[in-house]
Amino acid sequence: MNPSTNYQQLLRNLKYLKLKQMSLYLNEVVDFGVKNQMSFIDTLIKFTNYEIDVREQIMTQSMVKVAGFPHLKEIKDFDFTFQTSINQRQILDFLTLRFIEQNENIVFLGPGGVGKTHLVPEIGTAAAKKRTSTYFIKCHELIQNLKCARLENRLEDRLKHYTKYKVLIIDDIGYLPIDQEEAKLFFQLIDMRYERRNTILTTNVNFRAWDEVFQEPKLANARLDRILHHAIVVTMVVDSYRLKNHFAKENE
């Protein structure tokens, strides 16, 4: 078999095996290897790196998409000079995902419009890009999904679904009232994730008032202890971004 035939056979093999990137870059890698007198192994490593890099990118994009973030913003877009109560180094440390290694939860506490839902998806995106299973959901939507699952006799499966994510982000706790039955469903999920998974929460309700939000004082206080047991609390006590932007437009 001559070199030309060998080359065509290799190209067909790559396409058959659906190694698209390797088939696309075959000429480039062969030329590079010949020019630099690379060994067979070194050439093969460079060759396979193309396929691996693209597959990693596709996997990362898929993980971010599945996570369901409401938007994809970058940390550079966050105005730490306006939100002076926030420790920028702490937020940057969250992006390293060290909190996952330490098995810690994160709770963002503050009024609406201060940037909680900007920072939280950024942390979640950092996790998803590292191929850590991550999911974002509003608290009200989460509870409604659990209620529907209970009515359809598939509550256990739905709880397992939300428990499987290594990082679960529950946004806007306390934004809408939660009755006693809903509180039990919510805290059932918290119990299943306790010390097994990382949960990131955002809330505009002070912890002392959680018993009022959940209308189940004993249950709320007991489960709050579990949430805070391994938690980092980020308190945001600054002006609203929305008001800032509103006033800026008025002054234009």
Side-chain angles (χ1 to χ4, degrees):
M1 192 175 287
N2 61 46
S4 176
T5 305
N6 287 342
Y7 175 84
Q8 293 301 325
Q9 180 63 55
L10 175 58
L11 196 58
R12 286 195 297 271
N13 288 352
L14 293 174
K15 291 180 179 179
Y16 179 80
L17 294 171
K18 297 182 179 180
L19 298 172
K20 183 178 180 180
Q21 299 306 313
M22 292 176 69
S23 61
L24 286 174
Y25 290 98
L26 177 57
N27 281 330
E28 179 180 323
V29 173
V30 171
D31 290 342
F32 186 86
V34 171
K35 181 179 179 180
N36 294 276
Q37 300 182 13
M38 293 170 61
S39 69
F40 171 75
I41 291 178
D42 289 339
T43 303
L44 195 56
I45 289 173
K46 182 175 180 62
F47 196 28
T48 53
N49 279 343
Y50 282 112
E51 193 72 33
I52 292 172
D53 289 345
V54 170
R55 291 193 180 192
E56 288 287 335
Q57 290 174 15
I58 293 173
M59 179 63 73
T60 296
Q61 292 169 359
S62 176
M63 294 288 284
V64 172
K65 184 177 181 180
V66 168
F69 301 120
H71 51 70
L72 296 177
K73 293 184 177 180
E74 297 184 14
I75 199 67
K76 65 180 179 61
D77 298 324
F78 191 83
D79 189 357
F80 286 99
T81 61
F82 182 73
Q83 307 291 38
T84 55
S85 70
I86 300 176
N87 184 334
Q88 183 176 0
R89 290 187 177 181
Q90 183 182 49
I91 302 301
L92 294 176
D93 183 58
F94 291 156
L95 297 180
T96 69
L97 308 183
R98 193 167 63 90
F99 75 95
I100 295 178
E101 296 177 5
Q102 300 295 319
N103 198 28
E104 294 173 324
N105 297 325
I106 303 175
V107 181
F108 283 87
L109 171 64
V114 297
K116 300 188 299 296
T117 309
H118 179 134
L119 291 172
V120 166
E122 180 63 25
I123 298 168
T125 300
K129 284 183 175 179
K130 292 295 184 181
R131 297 175 64 174
T132 300
S133 59
T134 306
Y135 194 71
F136 176 101
I137 190 168
K138 294 286 186 180
C139 182
H140 179 68
E141 181 183 350
L142 170 67
I143 289 175
Q144 294 307 309
N145 289 346
L146 293 177
K147 287 176 67 176
C148 288
R150 183 185 59 188
L151 291 173
E152 296 170 0
N153 294 318
R154 55 185 184 85
L155 177 59
E156 184 177 352
D157 289 340
R158 181 51 54 174
L159 287 169
K160 288 181 179 178
H161 170 75
Y162 289 124
T163 303
K164 74 179 182 182
Y165 293 104
K166 180 62 178 173
V167 177
L168 179 65
I169 301 170
I170 306 175
D171 192 36
D172 278 344
I173 296 175
Y175 180 73
L176 293 173
I178 299 170
D179 64 32
Q180 292 184 357
E181 289 304 311
E182 292 171 341
K184 290 178 181 178
L185 292 172
F186 177 83
F187 289 122
Q188 194 172 343
L189 175 61
I190 294 299
D191 283 348
M192 291 181 68
R193 294 184 60 83
Y194 180 61
E195 294 192 326
R196 297 176 56 200
R197 297 287 189 266
N198 303 93
T199 307
I200 301 177
L201 311 172
T202 77
T203 181
N204 62 350
V205 180
N206 189 284
F207 298 131
R208 292 191 182 91
W210 272 41
D211 56 348
E212 298 174 12
V213 171
F214 287 97
Q215 302 178 32
E216 186 70 59
K218 292 183 179 179
L219 185 62
N221 291 330
R223 296 311 182 268
L224 182 59
D225 285 342
R226 288 200 165 190
I227 292 172
L228 298 179
H229 181 206
H230 299 292
I232 304 169
V233 179
V234 180
T235 304
M236 305 172 73
V237 290
V238 287
D239 294 332
S240 167
Y241 261 118
R242 300 188 188 111
L243 291 177
K244 173 193 173 187
N245 293 333
H246 174 73
F247 292 139
K249 290 179 180 179
E250 283 189 344
N251 295 328
E252 289 179 352

